[in-house]
Amino acid sequence: MLLKWNDPAVRLTGRWSRNNPDCATATANGSYFEFAFRGRVAVMHFDVTLNAAPYPHLYVEIDGESRVEAPLDSYLRVFAKDADANHVARVILKGSVEMQPRWFQPLVGRTALLGIEVEERGVLPADDRKIVEFVGDSITEGVLIDADYAEKPAYTWDQHNRVYQDDVTATYGWLTAEALNLRPVMMGYGAVGATRGGCGGVVKAASAYPFVYDGVPYAGEAPDYIVINHGANDRGAGAEKYLAGYEELLDAIAEKHPRAVLVALSPFCGAYAAELEALCKSYSEKHGRTVHFINGGVWIPAEPLHPLRGGHKIVSEHLIPALKAIIDEEK
């Protein structure tokens, strides 16, 4: 039998389209799906008609065991040891090519799930964890975490190496979510900022936030906590434009998710920390809704702009207690 994305044995987490009953599509790294099955084998079906090499890379897990990395393809098979047991698989969009179109059609950089062919439908355990969303840029989506890993001989266009170099599950956001037992939703796109659009045709942060991609509103579960990390790509715009764009982003997020706890995490490169802290205070007073501020610009060196695995780990080690304190305060 073929389980479609909206089957009770399938669960989407992250920025997936939910408007097409036949296909769920994601372009944001960190989006993932889970499915439950019984039997020895399950076959995932994807639509790759719009994709171009190199295809996005996925992480595949079964029953919470070690992950295996695989390029997206029309069919991907997973095998389980015990044919009589209930198995749960999780498939994470690990990384993709920043510059491939991921916002406007044709979505060359998409992951489009058609369904999962199984011998027997399984039972998917509930996931009652609180949801934390991280909204940011290439750092949030894990660009160049493994900077030394490039195709040999190297691609003439370095962007093609991104699927080997990027890993959203090693980012400060994902690590923080795991440590705090939160369910992660990731929205990071390279070169995007509060004042500008970025790679792959993605529009500026405030315009993008309500959508999965152009014309498709986000219709997934509402996050309980939203951590914003924008500003590294806005350094050339100046403080006035940055603050105006950031306030516009706060408005878009507050309108979409009026009950979420909002956290502004200043850029790790040190930009605009004082200005952003002042904006959070004035925005909170003006709207009667607290925007918590965390200064992330003092944790790691400004270079490299894209932290490596160790850099993200350091950031998470600082962010975990800071975010936990906010969560405890908001209880």
Side-chain angles (χ1 to χ4, degrees):
M1 67 176 67
L2 185 69
L3 308 177
K4 293 187 177 180
W5 67 264
N6 53 2
D7 189 278
V10 180
R11 177 168 53 234
L12 306 180
T13 295
R15 290 189 158 258
W16 293 91
S17 67
R18 291 168 167 85
N19 62 328
N20 184 343
D22 297 321
C23 180
T25 300
T27 66
N29 293 331
S31 302
Y32 67 89
F33 65 91
E34 299 160 283
F35 63 91
F37 69 100
R38 301 182 70 89
R40 294 297 294 269
V41 63
V43 185
M44 295 174 280
H45 294 222
F46 298 94
D47 181 356
V48 297
T49 54
L50 296 178
N51 291 93
Y55 288 6
H57 278 209
L58 310 175
Y59 276 138
V60 182
E61 305 171 352
I62 301 180
D63 299 331
E65 298 295 333
S66 301
R67 297 171 184 163
V68 174
E69 182 175 349
L72 176 70
D73 215 328
S74 297
Y75 306 103
L76 290 177
R77 294 168 176 82
V78 295
F79 294 86
K81 290 181 179 180
D82 188 348
D84 298 322
N86 185 75
H87 302 289
V88 176
R90 180 168 69 154
V91 181
I92 307 166
L93 177 51
K94 168 193 177 276
S96 52
V97 179
E98 283 182 281
M99 293 300 293
Q100 287 180 345
R102 291 194 285 166
W103 197 257
F104 296 103
Q105 298 288 353
L107 295 172
V108 177
R110 70 177 185 169
T111 295
L113 173 67
L114 295 172
I116 306 101
E117 185 180 350
V118 300
E119 298 172 33
E120 183 181 344
R121 178 187 288 107
V123 177
L124 190 62
D127 188 345
D128 298 324
R129 294 176 297 167
K130 297 281 189 179
I131 297 173
V132 59
E133 180 177 48
F134 290 88
V135 182
D137 49 34
S138 55
I139 298 172
T140 298
E141 72 168 329
V143 167
L144 292 172
I145 274 181
D146 293 316
D148 290 340
Y149 288 85
E151 181 74 6
K152 295 179 174 56
Y155 280 110
T156 55
W157 191 36
D158 186 59
Q159 276 286 322
H160 284 164
N161 293 312
R162 292 294 183 264
V163 293
Y164 309 106
Q165 297 171 317
D166 301 355
D167 186 350
V168 70
T169 70
T171 61
Y172 73 93
W174 194 279
L175 295 174
T176 298
E178 285 187 332
L180 295 177
N181 194 32
L182 301 172
R183 189 170 157 194
V185 171
M186 311 300 290
M187 186 189 183
Y189 290 101
V192 170
T195 63
R196 53 169 290 170
C199 299
V202 182
V203 295
K204 71 176 185 176
S207 300
Y209 184 77
F211 299 93
V212 178
Y213 49 82
D214 181 55
V216 178
Y218 174 75
E221 295 173 291
D224 300 283
Y225 313 103
I226 301 174
V227 180
I228 308 163
N229 182 240
H230 271 298
N233 295 317
D234 300 296
R235 288 173 290 176
E240 184 177 351
K241 290 184 178 179
Y242 170 68
L243 295 176
Y246 205 103
E247 185 168 4
E248 185 182 356
L249 174 58
L250 289 174
D251 288 342
I253 292 174
E255 180 178 356
K256 185 74 175 177
H257 300 300
R259 296 185 177 181
V261 176
L262 306 184
V263 181
L265 174 61
S266 70
F268 308 127
C269 62
Y272 300 126
E275 294 89 343
L276 182 57
E277 184 175 17
L279 174 65
C280 291
K281 182 178 180 180
S282 64
Y283 191 94
S284 300
E285 293 172 350
K286 178 180 178 181
H287 295 277
R289 178 177 182 175
T290 301
V291 179
H292 299 272
F293 173 78
I294 298 175
N295 184 2
V298 294
W299 296 339
I300 56 175
E303 296 294 336
L305 178 64
H306 298 96
L308 304 177
R309 283 180 179 265
H312 277 275
K313 186 174 183 293
I314 292 170
V315 170
S316 70
E317 289 170 349
H318 287 86
L319 180 57
I320 289 164
L323 184 56
K324 186 180 185 303
I326 291 170
I327 291 172
D328 290 343
E329 178 184 336
E330 291 286 346
K331 285 182 179 178

